Every structure is written in C-alpha cells, then in structure tokens.
Amino acid sequence: MAFTLWNLLEATLLCLNAVCILHEERFLVKMGWGANQNIQGFGEQPSVRSQVFNLVRSIRTVMRSKYLSILCY
Amino acid sequence: MNLVAAQKGSRKKRVSDTAAMSAPAYPPPYNPYASAVPGNMPPNMNMYDGRYVLPPPYTASPDYSRIHPSFPPADQGFSIPSQFLNEPLVANVAMQYGQALVGSGKQLVGQELEKYVPFSRIKYYFAVDTRYVTKKLGLLFFPFTHSDWSLRYEQDGPVQPRYEINAPDLYIPTMAYVTYVLVAGLVLGMQDRFTPEVLSIQASTALAWTVFEIIVELITMYITNIQTNLKTLDLIAYGGYKYVGIIFAVLLSILFHKTGYFIGLIYCSMSLIFFLVRTLKVQILPIGTSPSHHDPYMHNSGNKRRMYLLLFVAGIQPFLMWWLSFHLISPPVPKS
C-alpha cells in the first residue's frame, strides 16, 4: 500500500517500455490493430480505437527518437 | 547597519585623509569598485566582491584612469571641477546599464523556466483571500444549498478565485495536502506507530496517487477526444479537494474510532461528489442552449463520453479518500 513516487515512476517506465516493444508488423496488424487500417473521413469524430493507436504510435515515435537515444549513451 | 556605520566611519576617515591621500571623497559612487546602489557598501577599494552587482562596465574605468594620473595636490581641498562634472553622469549611466543588464538576465531566466513550469498560470490559482477560503470550505462540506455554479470569465480565462467562488484554486488543495501529512503523523503517533520515515512515506504515497489520478484523467480526455476548458492545473485543483474530506474523517476517527471514521468518510464523499458533479457539469457537459455555436461535426456520442468522464472523476474520489486514510484509523482496542 506504500505506493510511493518511486513506485509510480517504475510503473510508468515499465508501461512505456511495454508500449515501445509492441512490434507493429508482427503483432498488431495481425490482430487488426495496425495504424494504417482504420482511415476515417475527415469530419467525423475519431473513434476511441484510432485515438489509442495514435497515442501508442506517438509514444513509440518519441521514445525512439534520436534525442532520447543520445541521452542514453 | 554595520555597513552604514562603517561607511560613516570610513567617510570620516576619508575626509581627514583627503589632505593626505588626495583621492576624491564626495560622493562615494565615484569609486568604480563600489556597488551600483550608492551607500550600500563601504567605498573600500580592497573589498571588491561581486556579490551584489555585476562588475562595473567599461565606461567607468577610463574615467578612473583619467583620474589616477591627475591627483590634485594635498592642499586643494575638495576636487578638481572637471572631474566633478563628469562623474555623476557617468555614474548614473553605469548604474542604469548595470540595472538593465540584471533586468534582462532575470527576464531571460524567467522565460526559460516558464516553458517547463507555468509560473504565471500558477499565480492565478493562488490569488485567494480569506473570504474565498472560508466560503469554499463551507461549500465543500455543504454544497447542497448553493444554487449558482456558473463561472464568470474574463477575456481569456476565468475570473480570479478572489472574486468568484466557483473558480478552482490551488491554495486549499496544497494546504490540505500538507495538513493531511501532519494529521497522519499525529494519528500514527497516538497509536505508537510513528517513525519519521512514515511522514515521508505518507506524503509520497498521497502525491503518487494524485499524480496517477491526473494522468489517468488526462489520458481519458485525450482518448475520448473531449474538448473542455479544463486545464491540467484545474484537474490538480479538483483532485486536491478530497484531502479536506480525508482530514475531517481522520480527525473524527480520533474521537469516535471506526464508526466516526466511516460516518465522516461517507458524508464527505457525498458532499464532495455533489460538489464535483455540479462544478464540472458546467465545464465538461456542453451547454444545451446554443446549438448553433456547436461544431457541426459533433456527434451525440460526445455527450455520453462526457457524462462518463464526469462520473469517473467524481466517483474515484471516495475510493481514493478511503484508500489514503483507512490505515490511519485506530482500532477500538483498549490498551492494557
């Protein structure tokens, strides 16, 4: 029950890692969750699924960007 | 005061020394090693420390080199008139230049910090006064009779909390959070369970849960694509109001143990849920009176999502209130 800030940081890191390592081609497309598969018309409100995919995609892009990898090395 | 006394003392010494040293005695800012604000530091040439001000700009030093070779002879009394004419102007210009540099440096640092922590926005949330705080606390404990929950707006944001009772503020949540940590220490001390680490564990836990709750709310708002006027700081403010209820329930538990705790908890949960639903209804749910202003692409499903978000925000409060405090109540066991 002592869910401190450190635990929160650890949990966030693990979740971000999980989001990053989901491989798009091998796994998500086969389950129908690929990012190219649901193209919507412009005027409609984006569905929950497309927002989730956008979020996952953007997290992956940010985490894989050059600047962050420079920070690690 | 010591500096002024030292300066006066040293000024006395310098007046008597002008006969011997022939350096200009009046006024002290002539000395390029003195601070930019005259009269603060003793005009002692050995004491150059850059604590208060930037080093003097170059405009001062040529003057000093001009002064230096032309020492007036010992019996000439006050000063050479040419030096006297030039000095105040140059000293003023030097002072203004130094002050301008400091001002622009401060501005630059402020701008850089603003990108990471929005200080100017935070100032809005702390613009409260006593009347607002008392009324808001009364509203948190008894919101059932309040009728007007709308929020008045200025040009770009809501009116300051000082003038508008329905505006969120960060003062009450911050104070309630600190008081919660202190009350937790008090209650644990009364049960002989207190160690100093417990305080930091409590503070960190409560903060972690608040951060987690806000992250969940932000992600939910992004995923369901709800456009509201709520900012992150608003969410922090609304999430912090539960600490007031927690404090009340825990204090009741000191007197009446478990029954008092649960009664206090249930009552505070009810009033907090009511308060949050009425306050956030204005901000999350769309106002039905102006259909022409709406985005023509908005679907009706947006309403359902907004309602669920509202219920989620309001419903998670009692759960978190219980989770953050149930370990603090003392069991009604008589001590032997």
Side-chain angles (χ1 to χ4, degrees):
Chain A
M1 207 272 317
F3 174 61
T4 57
L5 276 177
W6 170 250
N7 294 349
L8 184 68
L9 195 66
E10 218 177 5
T12 316
L13 201 61
L14 289 176
C15 284
L16 281 182
N17 185 38
V19 165
C20 285
I21 64 178
L22 281 178
H23 199 283
E24 192 155 338
E25 289 173 26
R26 291 182 197 162
F27 184 65
L28 296 181
V29 170
K30 296 213 171 118
M31 297 205 24
W33 284 7
N36 309 327
Q37 286 180 347
N38 36 0
I39 302 192
Q40 270 184 343
F42 170 65
E44 282 182 18
Q45 215 179 19
S47 65
V48 176
R49 268 176 62 161
S50 64
Q51 288 292 101
V52 170
F53 300 150
N54 280 345
L55 190 65
V56 164
R57 200 88 197 269
S58 48
I59 289 179
R60 197 179 298 140
T61 313
V62 167
M63 299 292 282
R64 287 183 187 169
S65 69
K66 288 184 199 162
Y67 299 105
L68 269 184
S69 57
I70 287 176
L71 273 181
C72 297
Y73 294 110
Chain B
M1 279 173 291
N2 303 345
L3 293 177
V4 170
Q7 186 184 13
K8 282 200 183 136
S10 58
R11 206 183 276 167
K12 275 192 218 155
K13 205 170 86 165
R14 296 189 105 234
V15 163
S16 66
D17 272 353
T18 39
M21 271 178 31
S22 71
Y26 181 79
Y30 290 170
N31 190 347
Y33 292 111
S35 64
V37 180
N40 262 3
M41 288 176 59
N44 191 356
M45 295 205 208
N46 300 335
M47 237 178 68
Y48 172 61
D49 53 340
R51 261 182 306 156
Y52 294 110
V53 85
L54 302 170
Y58 289 134
T59 51
S61 41
D63 276 322
Y64 191 71
S65 56
R66 258 196 291 132
I67 295 173
H68 191 84
S70 59
F71 275 148
D75 52 354
Q76 221 181 26
F78 222 65
S79 307
I80 298 183
S82 58
Q83 298 172 359
F84 206 74
L85 277 176
N86 292 332
E87 281 309 309
L89 294 173
V90 172
N92 282 344
V93 166
M95 241 166 42
Q96 282 172 6
Y97 183 55
Q99 280 175 353
L101 272 182
V102 170
S104 73
K106 253 198 274 187
Q107 202 185 9
L108 200 65
V109 168
Q111 268 177 358
E112 287 298 315
L113 277 185
E114 185 83 17
K115 286 188 208 164
Y116 299 111
V117 182
F119 283 123
S120 53
R121 286 285 312 160
I122 291 185
K123 270 190 211 167
Y124 159 79
Y125 287 98
F126 283 101
V128 295
D129 57 350
T130 320
R131 197 187 63 97
Y132 171 82
V133 169
T134 49
K135 276 199 170 178
K136 194 80 172 189
L137 284 177
L139 208 61
L140 277 172
F141 282 119
F142 200 73
F144 310 107
T145 55
H146 191 75
S147 51
D148 180 25
W149 294 89
S150 58
L151 204 58
R152 276 180 297 152
Y153 276 84
E154 277 180 331
Q155 294 147 341
D156 49 351
V159 179
Q160 275 188 349
R162 203 178 302 195
Y163 307 116
E164 170 64 53
I165 183 75
N166 291 324
D169 70 314
L170 274 178
Y171 174 79
I172 291 180
T174 319
M175 291 291 142
Y177 171 70
V178 174
T179 313
Y180 159 73
V181 175
L182 293 175
V183 165
L186 170 78
V187 167
L188 285 178
M190 283 170 57
Q191 303 166 23
D192 287 338
R193 282 198 281 159
F194 180 79
T195 61
E197 289 87 24
V198 160
L199 273 184
S200 60
I201 290 177
Q202 284 298 316
S204 186
T205 306
L207 199 60
W209 276 111
T210 305
V211 167
F212 178 66
E213 174 194 355
I214 289 168
I215 288 180
V216 167
E217 284 174 9
L218 283 175
I219 291 184
T220 311
M221 286 205 334
Y222 174 77
I223 285 181
T224 52
N225 209 31
I226 295 178
Q227 317 277 350
T228 65
N229 284 331
L230 284 180
K231 315 240 180 335
T232 314
L233 289 175
D234 286 340
L235 285 179
I236 299 179
Y238 289 126
Y241 283 137
K242 64 165 144 343
Y243 290 115
V244 182
I246 295 178
I247 293 170
F248 178 68
V250 170
L251 286 179
L252 265 191
S253 87
I254 294 180
L255 294 172
F256 301 116
H257 305 288
K258 260 201 167 154
T259 49
Y261 170 72
F262 277 114
I263 289 177
L265 192 66
I266 289 176
Y267 176 72
C268 284
S269 312
M270 294 283 193
S271 55
L272 190 65
I273 287 181
F274 191 86
F275 171 81
L276 276 180
V277 165
R278 292 298 280 261
T279 307
L280 292 177
K281 191 158 68 169
V282 175
Q283 302 205 345
I284 294 186
L285 292 184
I287 308 173
T289 58
S290 60
S292 58
H293 289 221
H294 277 207
D295 189 6
Y297 302 120
M298 196 184 291
H299 289 218
N300 274 338
S301 65
N303 283 355
K304 209 163 55 166
R305 286 180 189 176
R306 287 168 187 250
M307 187 100 61
Y308 282 148
L309 175 71
L310 184 62
L311 287 179
F312 167 72
V313 168
I316 205 167
Q317 307 292 328
F319 173 70
L320 280 179
M321 280 168 69
W322 176 74
W323 189 259
L324 283 176
S325 54
F326 78 97
H327 58 281
L328 296 176
I329 55 176
S330 61
V333 177
K335 283 202 172 172
S336 55

